[in-house]
Amino acid sequence: MKKETPVNNSNLEAHVNNSADTAHSVAAPPIRRPTWEEAEGNPLPLGVNWIEEEQAFNFAVHSEHAESVTLLLYSPADLVNPLLRRQLDFLHNKSGRIWHCRVPVTKLGAACYYAYSVSGETIPQLHSFDPQKVLLDPYAKFIFFPPAFDRTLAMREGSNAGHAPLGVLTDRRSTFDWSGARSPYHESDAVIYELHVRGFTKNPNSGVDPSRAGTYAGLVEKIPYLKELGVTVVELMPVFQRDPQEGDYWGYMPLNFFAPHAQYASTQRVDEQGLEFKNMVKAFHQAGIGVVLDVVYNHTCEGDYKGPIYSFKGLDSAGYYMLSSDPANPYANYSGTGNTLNFGQAHVRKMVIDSLRYWKRGMHVDGFRFDLASVFSRNADGSLNWGEAPIFSEIAADPELGRVRLIAEPWDTAAYQLGRGFPGLTWLQWNGRFRDDIRRFVKGDAGMVPEVMRRIYGSDDLFPDNRVDAYHAYQSVNYVTSHDGFTLYDLVSYDRKRNWQNGNNNQDGTDANYSWNCGQEGDESLSPAVLALRRKQVKNFCCLLFLSNGTPMFRAGDEFLNTQLGNNNPYNQDNEIGWLDWSQLRSNQDIFQFFKKMIAFRKNHPSLSRSRFWREDVSWYGVGPTVDLSHDSHSLAFCLHGASQDDDDIYVMINAYWEELEFNVQEGTAQEWKRIVDTALPSPDDFSDDGIPLERTKYLLAPRSIVILCRPRQRLNEVVKTDVPGRASGTTHLR
C-alpha cells in the first residue's frame, strides 16, 4: 500500500503565487551574438563577396607564408590614406592558408576601393613581402587605376600608396538581362576569327564611331561585317586587365585573371566597364557568333625579381610562382616573360578554375584558348608531367566547363606537346605543323607533298583515331597565320622580318617564317606580275585552309590583305602597324569576296569538316592516277566523296610548281563536274557560285594555282564500289 506524504500547505501556496507572478512578467529577449562567420569572415569564396542577408562584404585572400595581413579600404576623396584599416588576426581571421574578415556596409562609410598590405619573412632574391606596398586582390573583378598610378613605384622599395591599382567594391545590386541571347555552339561550321579588341576598330578608317573606336562597344558595330564574312567564332586576344603603363599592346602580360581590361571600355566608369563587355558578348550571341577568349594563365606582368610588385609577389611569391635553383634568377621562366605560375600548387589551379567559371558563368563566354598551355603540365619543380597533370582532370570534372570549347597552344618555351603529347585529351590544339607544312609547300619547298596530304586529311599522325587514342579530326585547329608572326599578305611579301620599330634591334620575333616575297621584297615599286602572284598565293593559302579537315582559324585582316609592313612581332605597336587598315578592304574587295565565298563553300559542304577522319571517302591522285610522293614533287590531287555525308563530291587539283601542269581528272566524265575555283583566274572568274561545266577531263593548271571541282551528290547506295587507284583505307592510307 502506497504511503501518503503530508503536504505543507503554506509551501504549496507560496509556489502557486510565485508561478502566477512569473506568468505575468515579460521575458528578457536573448542576447544575439554574431555567428562565427559574421565575426571572423569566411575563407570561401576567395575575393570580395557581398552577403545580402548581413548587408556586409566578405574579404578572403590566399597567402600561405604571410605573417601579417591588413585590409585597406579607400574612399575616392583620399587614395593615399585608408579610410579604414583592418589588421587580420590569425587566431580569428585565418583558416588554413586563407586570411579573411567581414565588414558590414555600415562601417564602410565612403569607402569603395580596397587593397591589402602584407608582411612576412623576406627572401632577398624574390623581393617579396614589402609591407609598404599596396597590393591588389588576385580575385578583384574590377580594377581602379588612380590618376597618379605609377608603375615605377611598384618596381622599387618604399610605399606606392596612391599610385597602386585598387580593387573595386562594385554595386552589389547590379544585374544583367541575358534573355534573348543563347550561347551558340558551332561544329562543322566552326570558323575561328582571331582579332585584337583595340586593333580591330582603333584606326580612324574603321568606320566605327570615334567614341567607341578600339573598344568592346566598337566590336559590336562590326558584327554585320563579321556576319557577311561568315565567321562563326571570334577569338579575342587577351582581355584580362593588364598594366596600362607596360607597353603591352597585345595583352599577354596579365595583371589579374578576373577583371576585363578597363582600357578597352568606351566608358571610364568602372561600374559600367563590365556591363559593356557583357553587352558585347550578348550582341555576338544574338548574331549567332561564339566568343572565345585567349587567356594567359601561365605568367603575370610582375616579371622577374626586377619587375613590379602589384599583387602575387607581395602576397606570397613562393606560393604563387615557380622558383628556380639559380640565385641570380630566382623565378623559373618557362613563359619567356620573367615568371611562371606554379601549377603544382592547388590554390593556383583553383584560381584558374575559378577564373574560367567566372568568365563562363558571369560573362557567358563560350570557350578559351590557353596561351603556352604546356605550362599546365609542369610540376612544382618545373619538370613535365607527361601523365595526367592535375589541372586537366580538375577542369574536365567541373560541370560548368563541360561544354566549353577548350583550345591549347600546346607548347611553352621549353616543351612542345602538339598532338597526343598534350595531356588535355579532348582539347582542341593550335596545329603549328599545319602552319609550317602548308607554308613550305605553297612557297615551293621540296619534299612536302606527303606532309601536306597529312595536314589536309586532318593530321591523323598527330591526332590518331586508333582504338587507344580515339582523337577527332576537329581537334586540329588549322591555321596559316595568327597574331604571332607575319600577316597573310606579309607572308607573301617579305623574306625577312622588319621589327626595328619594336626597339629590340630586330632581334625579337621568329626567323622561321617560311615566307616568300614572290620575287620582290616589301611593297615599293612593285611590278604587276609580282602583285598578281601575291594575290594568287593568298588565294592558294585560303583554299588549303578551308579545304582541310579540322577547325580552321585565320587572323583578322587577312581577308583584305592587311599588312604590318613586315613586322612579325608587333606586341608593343599600339599604332597603325598594330591596327587594321580598313582602307585595304576597299582596295582588295576581290580577296575579301574570295574569302567570303570559300567560307560559304566550306559551310555548304560539311563533308570537308567532319568529327572523324575522311578514311575511305578520300582518294588521292597526282596529275595522273597516282600521287607523286617523290622529293621533287610539287603537285597532288584528291577526290572527297560526299555520299556518306549526303554531300557533293569534291575534286581538288593543286599545283605548287612554278610551271604549268596538266592534270587528268580521274573520276567520272567531264560532264559530271563543274569548276568552282581556279585561283589563277582574275576576280570574279576565280570563283563561280554555280560552277562552270568542264569540257574535258584534262585540265591545264597554271603555275602555283589550285582548282576545285564539284559533282552533284549521290545517294550512298548508288555509289559504285570499285577499286579506284590511290583510294585510301584504314589509318595507314598515306604510308
Side-chain angles (χ1 to χ4, degrees):
M1 187 174 178
K2 189 175 181 179
K3 185 177 180 180
E4 297 288 341
T5 304
V7 177
N8 186 324
N9 290 331
S10 62
N11 290 341
L12 179 61
E13 184 177 357
H15 175 74
V16 171
N17 291 336
N18 288 339
S19 297
D21 292 341
T22 302
H24 287 88
S25 65
V26 178
I31 299 174
R32 185 190 181 282
R33 299 182 180 277
T35 65
W36 293 342
E37 290 184 356
E38 289 173 340
E40 301 175 357
N42 198 312
L44 295 174
L46 288 161
V48 58
N49 290 275
W50 173 246
I51 313 298
E52 178 65 28
E53 59 272 21
E54 298 176 25
Q55 294 291 292
F57 284 103
N58 191 86
F59 298 84
V61 65
H62 189 285
S63 181
E64 177 182 356
H65 300 105
E67 295 177 356
S68 174
V69 174
T70 302
L71 173 66
L72 310 173
L73 293 159
Y74 296 89
S75 74
D78 189 346
L79 300 174
V80 177
N81 303 296
L83 183 68
L84 180 66
R85 183 187 295 266
R86 174 73 67 87
Q87 184 162 350
L88 307 187
D89 180 355
F90 75 91
L91 290 175
H92 297 90
N93 304 112
K94 188 170 186 282
S95 299
R97 299 170 179 179
I98 299 174
W99 300 75
H100 48 80
C101 71
R102 193 159 294 182
V103 181
V105 70
T106 54
K107 294 187 178 180
L108 284 178
C112 56
Y113 307 121
Y114 75 104
Y116 292 97
S117 172
V118 178
S119 61
E121 183 179 354
T122 300
I123 304 174
Q125 302 97 309
L126 299 180
H127 295 275
S128 60
F129 289 138
D130 182 353
Q132 298 184 80
K133 288 291 184 287
V134 175
L135 302 176
L136 180 69
D137 176 12
Y139 276 69
K141 302 301 190 297
F142 299 100
I143 298 174
F144 171 71
F145 291 88
F149 169 69
D150 190 342
R151 168 183 170 84
T152 61
L153 292 180
M155 300 176 68
R156 58 179 188 242
E157 292 184 8
S159 173
N160 63 341
H163 307 277
L166 304 172
V168 180
L169 301 177
T170 56
D171 183 357
R172 49 200 174 274
R173 297 177 300 274
S174 62
T175 58
F176 186 82
D177 180 12
W178 287 103
S179 62
R182 271 184 56 187
S183 296
Y185 191 81
H186 297 281
E187 295 183 337
S188 65
D189 65 337
V191 177
I192 301 175
Y193 186 77
E194 186 198 34
L195 66 85
H196 187 281
V197 173
R198 180 171 170 83
F200 195 63
T201 63
K202 185 58 180 175
N203 200 309
N205 62 20
S206 70
V208 169
D209 185 283
S211 67
R212 294 186 287 274
T215 68
Y216 305 121
L219 286 188
V220 174
E221 292 192 32
K222 282 294 185 182
I223 287 177
Y225 169 81
L226 298 175
K227 288 285 290 181
E228 181 186 358
L229 180 58
V231 298
T232 56
V233 180
V234 292
E235 182 175 300
L236 306 182
M237 288 175 65
V239 297
F240 289 170
Q241 182 63 62
R242 58 183 184 270
D243 179 351
Q245 292 183 354
E246 189 173 9
D248 170 30
Y249 167 64
W250 272 357
Y252 287 94
M253 297 292 283
L255 170 66
N256 168 282
F257 304 126
F258 293 85
H261 189 57
Q263 288 70 31
Y264 287 166
S266 61
T267 175
Q268 296 305 308
R269 290 189 55 179
V270 178
D271 57 340
E272 293 182 356
Q273 291 164 357
L275 182 66
E276 184 172 326
F277 185 92
K278 292 177 182 178
N279 277 320
M280 175 197 69
V281 174
K282 182 176 181 178
F284 274 125
H285 286 178
Q286 289 174 326
I289 298 175
V291 178
V292 169
L293 301 187
D294 188 343
V295 290
V296 185
Y297 291 116
N298 56 81
H299 68 278
T300 77
C301 69
E302 291 186 313
D304 58 17
Y305 69 96
K306 295 178 289 186
I309 298 175
Y310 284 132
S311 181
F312 305 96
K313 276 185 181 178
L315 286 166
D316 191 0
S317 280
Y320 283 99
Y321 292 117
M322 194 179 295
L323 305 182
S324 77
S325 57
D326 180 5
N329 297 284
Y331 290 97
N333 185 19
Y334 294 103
S335 64
T337 59
N339 63 57
T340 307
L341 283 178
N342 189 350
F343 289 96
Q345 294 276 7
H347 72 278
V348 173
R349 300 195 301 271
K350 173 179 168 51
M351 177 176 63
V352 169
I353 292 175
D354 286 345
S355 171
L356 295 173
R357 282 198 203 108
Y358 173 72
W359 289 100
K360 173 59 179 171
R361 181 196 305 163
M363 300 298 197
H364 284 219
V365 302
D366 306 294
F368 304 93
R369 178 266 186 190
F370 295 80
D371 179 63
L372 301 181
S374 287
V375 169
F376 281 2
S377 304
R378 294 199 176 275
N379 299 312
D381 62 358
S383 61
L384 277 173
N385 184 339
W386 290 98
E388 186 68 22
I391 194 167
F392 294 103
S393 56
E394 291 166 3
I395 291 175
D398 188 280
E400 289 193 64
L401 303 177
R403 285 269 301 172
V404 168
R405 194 185 300 269
L406 303 173
I407 307 172
E409 183 183 38
W411 52 77
D412 61 24
T413 59
Y416 193 76
Q417 296 180 296
L418 176 60
R420 56 186 150 182
F422 187 73
L425 296 180
T426 61
W427 291 37
L428 282 67
Q429 299 181 35
W430 272 27
N431 190 343
R433 282 285 301 278
F434 182 95
R435 173 199 62 202
D436 294 346
D437 290 346
I438 296 296
R439 286 184 178 192
R440 294 184 63 193
F441 174 73
V442 171
K443 76 186 282 281
D445 284 0
M448 296 307 300
V449 169
E451 296 302 318
V452 166
M453 291 171 68
R454 287 281 188 196
R455 304 306 147 232
I456 293 173
Y457 183 73
S459 296
D460 67 328
D461 54 336
L462 302 171
F463 302 94
D465 63 343
N466 54 50
R467 182 179 58 82
V468 175
D469 296 300
Y471 283 97
H472 294 258
Y474 63 76
Q475 290 181 253
S476 172
V477 175
N478 300 330
Y479 67 104
V480 177
T481 60
S482 68
H483 71 275
D484 196 1
F486 281 145
T487 68
L488 189 55
Y489 178 74
D490 289 356
L491 188 68
V492 299
S493 305
Y494 294 89
D495 284 353
R496 296 173 299 279
K497 66 188 181 187
R498 294 188 180 183
N499 297 358
W500 300 98
Q501 193 164 337
N502 297 348
N504 303 304
N505 200 30
N506 206 33
Q507 297 301 304
D508 62 306
T510 183
D511 292 315
N513 295 294
Y514 304 120
S515 61
W516 178 50
N517 63 21
C518 294
Q520 191 172 344
E521 188 76 359
D523 261 339
E524 298 176 4
S525 304
L526 295 177
S527 69
V530 168
L531 282 171
L533 179 54
R534 288 180 179 179
R535 301 178 101 78
K536 184 166 60 172
Q537 290 287 70
V538 164
K539 290 188 288 185
N540 291 336
F541 279 122
C542 178
C543 284
L544 292 174
L545 176 64
F546 292 116
L547 290 171
S548 297
N549 201 4
T551 302
M553 182 195 80
F554 65 105
R555 65 177 289 167
D558 279 351
E559 72 275 17
F560 54 75
L561 303 185
N562 186 67
T563 179
Q564 292 173 169
L565 305 178
N567 192 327
N568 73 355
N569 189 42
Y571 69 97
N572 58 0
Q573 298 302 313
D574 187 7
N575 50 44
E576 287 80 0
I577 292 177
W579 304 339
L580 293 195
D581 179 5
W582 289 90
S583 69
Q584 296 298 318
L585 175 61
R586 294 184 290 273
S587 302
N588 300 301
Q589 266 293 309
D590 57 327
I591 301 299
F592 171 78
Q593 291 298 325
F594 191 86
F595 265 80
K596 172 182 170 180
K597 291 181 177 183
M598 277 304 302
I599 291 172
F601 180 83
R602 181 181 180 86
K603 289 181 180 179
N604 291 332
H605 295 285
S607 182
L608 288 167
S609 180
R610 307 186 187 187
S611 171
R612 309 292 173 169
F613 293 100
W614 295 337
R615 304 183 78 80
E616 67 276 0
D617 280 349
V618 68
S619 299
W620 298 96
Y621 305 107
V623 296
T626 58
V627 59
D628 183 357
L629 300 175
S630 69
H631 181 73
D632 294 327
S633 174
H634 297 273
S635 62
L636 74 150
F638 66 91
C639 183
L640 180 62
H641 307 95
S644 67
Q645 310 296 311
D646 191 27
D647 198 359
D648 300 338
D649 293 340
I650 300 171
Y651 199 101
V652 180
M653 296 174 282
I654 307 168
N655 179 17
Y657 194 46
W658 39 92
E659 295 180 10
E660 62 184 16
L661 294 175
E662 185 176 73
F663 282 71
N664 287 281
V665 179
Q666 297 299 308
E667 299 192 23
T669 64
Q671 292 71 28
E672 295 176 350
W673 295 99
K674 290 185 177 181
R675 189 195 75 217
I676 306 298
V677 171
D678 187 338
T679 62
L681 298 176
S683 180
D685 297 329
D686 52 2
F687 199 111
S688 173
D689 296 314
D690 298 325
I692 306 297
L694 284 192
E695 297 179 355
R696 59 193 190 120
T697 55
K698 294 182 182 296
Y699 198 104
L700 190 64
L701 259 71
R704 304 185 188 275
S705 64
I706 294 176
V707 169
I708 303 173
L709 311 176
C710 269
R711 178 169 60 182
R713 65 194 63 188
Q714 305 174 61
R715 291 192 179 94
L716 189 60
N717 58 7
E718 294 178 353
V719 178
V720 179
K721 298 292 185 179
T722 58
D723 291 329
V724 180
R727 170 155 290 184
S729 63
T731 57
T732 59
H733 63 287
L734 295 179
R735 294 174 185 158

